[in-house]
């Protein structure tokens, strides 16, 4: 009898502990469940390094050719979709609605294809597995790994190739190739909202070349006499000068490894930080330049005098702006911080809660390597946003690795993050 009472007591105690545990985890578990949405069927899955803007001529429904804005991602294959803010899905130009007083009652953005959830299509790709893409104001670029079978029958990367998409022939042309090695090989792009401000660079080790269409970049074992070269530190170790000069052996200790770049005040700035961005919009030039170190955001109005705020989050990998928030993708999910004053461009030294399901979809299980706001002049919850996620956590779902999107609320649907 005592033995039976003892077992009941143990079971009762365990039940109380379990209920107490669930209560204490309310904010961690049940809030996450409430914020979950039914996931859309994913197409753009895999490791996505960057989300690239590119303007491309497209035939509209009336047969005329029109320049439309697209986003491209490359998790092995290349996927793309239109994000033009001035045209609808038929390629027809849209305008703001106004009332009898002339006041805007609905922005053209909300009638444009940019605010609609449409499927990504598969874009023609060069040979190999594409892992890095970029674009300037005229051309699309990609880097692929060439995979071959070794003597044991295993798939191994043997070469890396830099490609340019020839807009006339509609084919990819090789402009550099080299044997696979540990040297960093990727594309850096300014990726600005304004097409005219877009520039792209090829990173080979710590060396950078400004890309110029199908103009070839010399192979690694050839003499380097092209324009391009090394990026040097200035007074700041992170925000650096705009000139790519030839190697000066006496100053080789000043070399930095550029990991990001941004167009600002007519120049291109490079940084060893994971991310740089500005508050440029589709219509206005930038007034602030930003870069990140660890969980800090540095900001400047002249690229020489810098202020810094500590977001007290995890390591920042990506940055994007809206009219009311600075978004930061980290190694533990996505966060955002409001501006000190409405639209001021000055971030606050804190993060804020999301009013959407962002924190539960792009959660701490995932690294958010890229974030892009289609129209940075809009408030966060009123615009379209894309973000990519990767993970090495055994607790995370691999089905959630890839591209995510947020679309603003409509009369029939609440704004939400979901898979692409």
């Amino acid at each position: 009898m005592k033995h039976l009472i003892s077992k009941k007591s143990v079971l009762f105690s365990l039940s109380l502990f379990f209920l107490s545990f669930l209560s204490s985890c309310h904010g961690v578990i049940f809030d996450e469940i409430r914020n979950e949405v039914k996931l859309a069927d994913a197409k753009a899955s895999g490791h996505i390094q960057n989300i690239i803007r590119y303007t491309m001529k497209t035939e509209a429904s009336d047969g005329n050719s029109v320049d439309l804005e697209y986003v491209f991602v490359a998790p092995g294959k290349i996927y793309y979709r239109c994000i033009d803010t001035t045209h609808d899905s038929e390629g027809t130009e849209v305008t703001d609605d106004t009332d009898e007083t002339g006041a805007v009652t609905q922005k053209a953005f909300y009638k444009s294809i940019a605010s609609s959830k449409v499927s990504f299509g598969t874009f023609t790709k060069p040979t190999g597995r594409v892992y890095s893409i970029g674009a300037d104001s005229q051309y699309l670029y990609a880097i692929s790994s060439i995979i071959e079978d070794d003597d044991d029958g295993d798939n191994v990367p043997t070469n890396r190739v830099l490609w340019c998409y020839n807009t006339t022939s509609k084919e990819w042309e090789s402009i550099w190739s080299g044997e696979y090695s540990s040297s960093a090989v990727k594309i850096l792009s300014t990726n600005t909202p304004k097409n005219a401000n877009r520039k792209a660079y090829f990173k080979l080790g710590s060396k950078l070349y400004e890309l110029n269409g199908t103009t070839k970049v010399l192979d690694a074992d050839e003499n380097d006499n092209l324009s391009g070269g090394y990026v040097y530190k200035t007074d700041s170790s992170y925000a650096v000068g705009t000139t790519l000069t030839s190697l000066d052996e006496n100053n080789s200790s000043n070399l930095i490894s550029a990991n990001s770049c941004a167009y600002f005040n007519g120049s291109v700035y490079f940084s060893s930080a994971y991310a740089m961005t500005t508050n440029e919009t589709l219509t206005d030039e930038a007034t602030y330049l930003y870069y990140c170190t660890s969980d800090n955001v540095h900001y400047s109005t002249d690229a020489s005098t810098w202020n810094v705020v500590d977001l007290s989050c995890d390591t920042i990998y990506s940055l994007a702006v809206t009219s009311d928030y600075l978004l930061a993708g980290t190694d533990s999910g996505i966060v955002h911080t409001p501006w000190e004053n409405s639209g001021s461009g000055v971030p606050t030294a804190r993060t804020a809660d999301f009013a959407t399901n962002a924190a539960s979809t792009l959660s701490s299980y995932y690294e958010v390597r890229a974030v892009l706001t289609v129209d940075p002049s809009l408030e966060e919850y009123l615009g379209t946003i894309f973000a990519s996620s990767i993970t090495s956590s055994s607790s995370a779902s691999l089905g959630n690795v890839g591209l995510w999107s947020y679309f603003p609320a409509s009369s029939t649907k609440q704004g939400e993050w979901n898979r692409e």
Side-chain angles (χ1 to χ4, degrees):
M1 184 68 176
K2 287 182 180 180
H3 177 65
L4 292 175
I5 293 173
S6 175
K7 289 178 68 175
K8 289 180 180 179
S9 298
V10 170
L11 290 172
F12 181 71
S13 298
L14 287 173
S15 299
L16 287 178
F17 173 78
F18 183 64
L19 289 173
S20 175
F21 174 76
L22 287 179
S23 298
S24 66
C25 292
H26 176 274
V28 179
I29 297 176
F30 290 108
D31 285 353
E32 295 298 303
I33 292 172
R34 279 200 299 268
N35 284 326
E36 285 294 340
V37 296
K38 182 179 180 180
L39 291 183
D41 292 335
K43 184 167 188 178
S45 295
H47 189 164
I48 294 172
Q49 286 191 9
N50 39 25
I51 305 168
I52 294 298
R53 302 176 188 262
Y54 179 58
T55 300
M56 187 166 58
K57 283 196 177 298
T58 306
E59 185 176 320
S61 58
D62 60 5
N64 292 322
S65 180
V66 60
D67 288 333
L68 297 181
E69 186 82 346
Y70 289 80
V71 288
F72 284 74
V73 296
K77 297 180 179 180
I78 300 178
Y79 299 97
Y80 75 123
R81 64 146 284 178
C82 188
I83 56 163
D84 201 85
T85 60
T86 59
H87 292 79
D88 62 18
S89 59
E90 301 295 321
T92 303
E93 190 170 0
V94 295
T95 57
D96 290 338
D97 291 332
T98 58
D99 59 22
E100 61 276 3
T101 68
V104 175
T105 57
Q106 184 183 42
K107 288 178 68 70
F109 176 87
Y110 303 114
K111 299 183 291 181
S112 74
I113 194 170
S115 66
S116 303
K117 177 124 177 141
V118 296
S119 298
F120 271 71
T122 304
F123 193 77
T124 178
K125 81 174 188 69
T127 303
R129 184 183 185 282
V130 181
Y131 67 89
S132 182
I133 55 173
D136 56 24
S137 59
Q138 297 184 65
Y139 296 95
L140 186 67
Y141 305 96
I143 299 176
S144 69
S145 295
I146 306 301
I147 310 296
E148 296 180 1
D149 291 340
D150 64 10
D151 294 338
D152 296 324
D154 296 325
N155 292 330
V156 294
T158 58
N159 291 80
R160 289 178 289 196
V161 184
L162 172 65
W163 307 84
C164 175
Y165 182 70
N166 189 318
T167 54
T168 302
S169 66
K170 308 298 183 184
E171 294 180 350
W172 291 93
E173 294 185 18
S174 169
I175 56 177
W176 175 90
S177 64
E179 291 186 0
Y180 200 91
S181 70
S182 59
S183 297
V185 175
K186 66 179 182 178
I187 303 170
L188 304 183
S189 299
T190 57
N191 212 27
T192 53
K194 288 176 173 288
N195 183 52
N197 295 341
R198 292 175 194 163
K199 293 185 179 294
Y201 301 86
F202 174 53
K203 177 178 179 177
L204 176 60
S206 60
K207 205 164 200 179
L208 288 177
Y209 298 90
E210 183 172 351
L211 294 174
N212 182 24
T214 56
T215 301
K216 290 187 180 298
V217 177
L218 288 181
D219 287 337
D221 57 353
E222 296 184 34
N223 293 325
D224 178 8
N225 54 15
L226 292 180
S227 61
Y230 291 84
V231 178
Y232 288 91
K233 292 182 182 178
T234 54
D235 352 0
S236 165
S237 9
Y238 294 97
V240 299
T242 63
T243 304
L244 301 181
T245 61
S246 59
L247 174 62
D248 179 351
E249 292 182 0
N250 295 325
N251 291 323
S252 59
S253 62
N254 287 332
L255 293 177
I256 71 160
S257 180
N259 292 312
S260 57
C261 63
Y263 180 91
F264 183 69
N265 284 347
S267 298
V268 177
Y269 290 84
F270 297 89
S271 174
S272 59
Y274 290 121
M276 291 187 87
T277 194
T278 71
N279 62 344
E280 179 182 308
T281 69
L282 298 171
T283 56
D284 298 324
E285 296 291 343
T287 55
Y288 279 88
L289 176 64
Y290 308 91
Y291 72 88
C292 58
T293 58
S294 185
D295 61 348
N296 299 312
V297 174
H298 304 251
Y299 61 97
S300 175
T301 58
D302 59 10
S304 60
T305 302
W306 294 87
N307 295 290
V308 60
V309 293
D310 184 349
L311 298 191
S312 297
C313 60
D314 294 281
T315 300
I316 298 172
Y317 286 134
S318 53
L319 294 169
V321 302
T322 66
S323 67
D324 51 353
Y325 285 94
L326 175 69
L327 287 158
T330 79
D331 64 357
S332 295
I334 193 169
V335 299
H336 68 173
T337 181
W339 303 123
E340 279 285 2
N341 298 300
S342 178
S344 68
V346 177
T348 56
R350 63 180 175 87
T351 59
D353 291 337
F354 285 95
T356 64
N357 61 327
S360 61
T361 52
L362 296 167
S363 70
S364 59
Y365 290 127
Y366 303 94
E367 296 177 5
V368 180
R369 289 288 180 153
V371 181
L372 183 141
T373 53
V374 171
D375 186 349
S377 70
L378 297 175
E379 295 177 10
E380 179 184 325
Y381 302 124
L382 299 180
T384 297
I385 309 171
F386 294 95
S388 68
S389 66
I390 64 173
T391 187
S392 58
S393 171
S394 59
S395 301
S397 170
L398 293 180
N400 293 341
V401 172
L403 189 65
W404 291 79
S405 62
Y406 171 85
F407 291 92
S410 66
S411 58
T412 59
K413 189 175 184 180
Q414 180 180 354
E416 64 182 31
W417 283 89
N418 212 321
R419 278 304 316 271
E420 285 289 347

